[in-house]
Amino acid sequence: MERQKRHSILFALCTLLLIGPAAKAQLSHRNYEVEARAHYGYLYFQNDEYHSALGRYSRHAPAVELSLHRNTYGEHRWEVLHNYPSIGLTFYYSGFGNDSITAELGRVFALYPFINFPITPGESSKLTFKLGVGVSYLTNKFDPKENYHNYAIGSHLNAAVNLSFEYRQRLADRLHWVTSAGLTHFSNGATRTPNMGINIFSVATGLSWYLAPPKAQIDKKLRPKNYLFEFDGKRHFVTDVQYTLGFKDMSQQYGTHQYFFIHDLAGQLMLQLSERDRLGIGVEVVVDNSSKITHPDWRTEIGGLIAYEMLLDRVSFMFNVGIRNNEALPAHAFLLYEKLGLRYYISDNLFATLSFTTYDIKADFISVGIGYHVQHKYYLPRHEKKRYRSPVFPR
């Protein structure tokens, strides 16, 4: 047994020696960095009863994270349009502060891919916005006998969402100091209840190190700039419609695992702001079958929304804020909700989507679906067309 162990170690070392030069060349080409941060956070729960109950615990939640990310340098046009964002993968861990609250909520291990968009351009320092969505595992969950105090999380496997603003300062050619402030959210989207969700507002600081000398960004002057609508004098707008299907678990209400489907139909009118984003308005119809059981006077929820779409080649992020009527909240005629969506354009018109709907920083449901969009063109009035004429291609 000992001999086999020595052979395994020797084989691993030989493998590392063989792949080392190739790995170094790849890392040099792809601009990889490793990053470590320490977080100091505060647990927040929207539910006042649970928020007060946790007063018996310290709600200060330290955490650590390790990330591997690649800084883009203009290899693709969308990278230039978004000011050279970085793409990576983060491992996150927190024990929620102390043994008392850990006994109830457990510990969380999360792994999520992210994209980091520069807000202010700069070589030595810059402000960025980080968006990450992935999966998490919580060691404790609600149990009617063993852990009935924990009605924040009803399943071990959950979604993890991170939104944060970061400041990065170069200390040396390959070393950066990073500090950030943001929100990390854990929830299963009501696929298992209870599902109040866990929110951690935190500040963090750490260091980032290039694994090899970084590749310089491609100078924007080397690329011809495309002026929007310069070739045919037309402006664009997009109409799209999408249908998504989600479900809720109502086991907390009825004692057995009962699932109810949620049908979500939305239509949007989006104006093209630039090659990288769109802004628009829309209407949404939600049929939540779980409401039929809890509210006999149930009716379909109808609302309006404001939408913003960030375009990354065939992938885009959708950010929606809207209001809709909701019978579950008789004291409020309308419910304010937020939706984070991820789209993948299968073709120029057809797209698949994954949506995460929340209200009051509480997950409502997760849904998947498909949609169709059409791009429309129209001419500006003659006196306005002059403003968009290209100096390179005059008409």
Side-chain angles (χ1 to χ4, degrees), residues 42-46 48 51 59 197-201 360-361:
Y42 183 80
L43 285 165
Y44 175 78
F45 295 90
Q46 184 65 23
D48 292 335
H51 196 40
R59 293 194 294 273
I198 297 175
N199 304 296
I200 304 177
F201 291 95
D360 291 338
I361 322 181

Side-chain angles (χ1 to χ4, degrees), residues 284 303-306 320-324 335-339 358:
E284 189 165 18
L305 58 90
I306 298 173
N320 292 0
V321 177
I323 57 172
R324 64 174 189 262
L335 172 73
L336 177 67
Y337 69 97
E338 307 85 29
K339 180 183 291 187
T358 68

Side-chain angles (χ1 to χ4, degrees), residues 309-317 342-345:
E309 184 176 13
M310 182 182 294
L311 303 168
L312 309 174
D313 200 16
R314 286 198 171 274
V315 176
S316 72
F317 292 103
L342 177 66
R343 286 183 175 183
Y344 177 78
Y345 285 90

Side-chain angles (χ1 to χ4, degrees), residues 32 67 124 136 383 395:
Y32 280 102
S67 299
S124 60
S136 63
H383 68 279
R395 290 183 294 274

Side-chain angles (χ1 to χ4, degrees), residues 27 31-37 65-71 89 168 174-176 178 206-212:
L27 292 173
N31 278 3
Y32 280 102
E33 283 186 84
V34 291
E35 186 173 297
R37 295 190 208 180
E65 73 172 50
L66 295 173
S67 299
L68 174 66
H69 59 100
R70 179 178 69 86
N71 289 288
L89 186 68
R168 310 179 75 86
R174 294 167 62 181
L175 181 66
H176 287 80
V178 185
L207 295 172
S208 183
W209 174 259
Y210 276 100
L211 295 179

Side-chain angles (χ1 to χ4, degrees), residues 43 58 60-62 94-98 101 105-108 138 198 200:
L43 285 165
S58 169
H60 299 278
S94 178
F96 299 119
N98 57 49
I101 198 168
L105 296 180
R107 303 175 187 275
V108 61
L138 281 96
I198 297 175
I200 304 177

Side-chain angles (χ1 to χ4, degrees), residues 72-113:
T72 60
Y73 55 88
E75 186 179 11
H76 303 286
R77 179 161 182 79
W78 72 267
E79 299 172 356
V80 180
L81 292 173
H82 289 279
N83 223 355
Y84 308 101
S86 62
I87 305 169
L89 186 68
T90 291
F91 171 77
Y92 177 99
Y93 166 79
S94 178
F96 299 119
N98 57 49
D99 293 338
S100 298
I101 198 168
T102 299
E104 182 174 317
L105 296 180
R107 303 175 187 275
V108 61
F109 302 86
L111 190 68
Y112 58 84

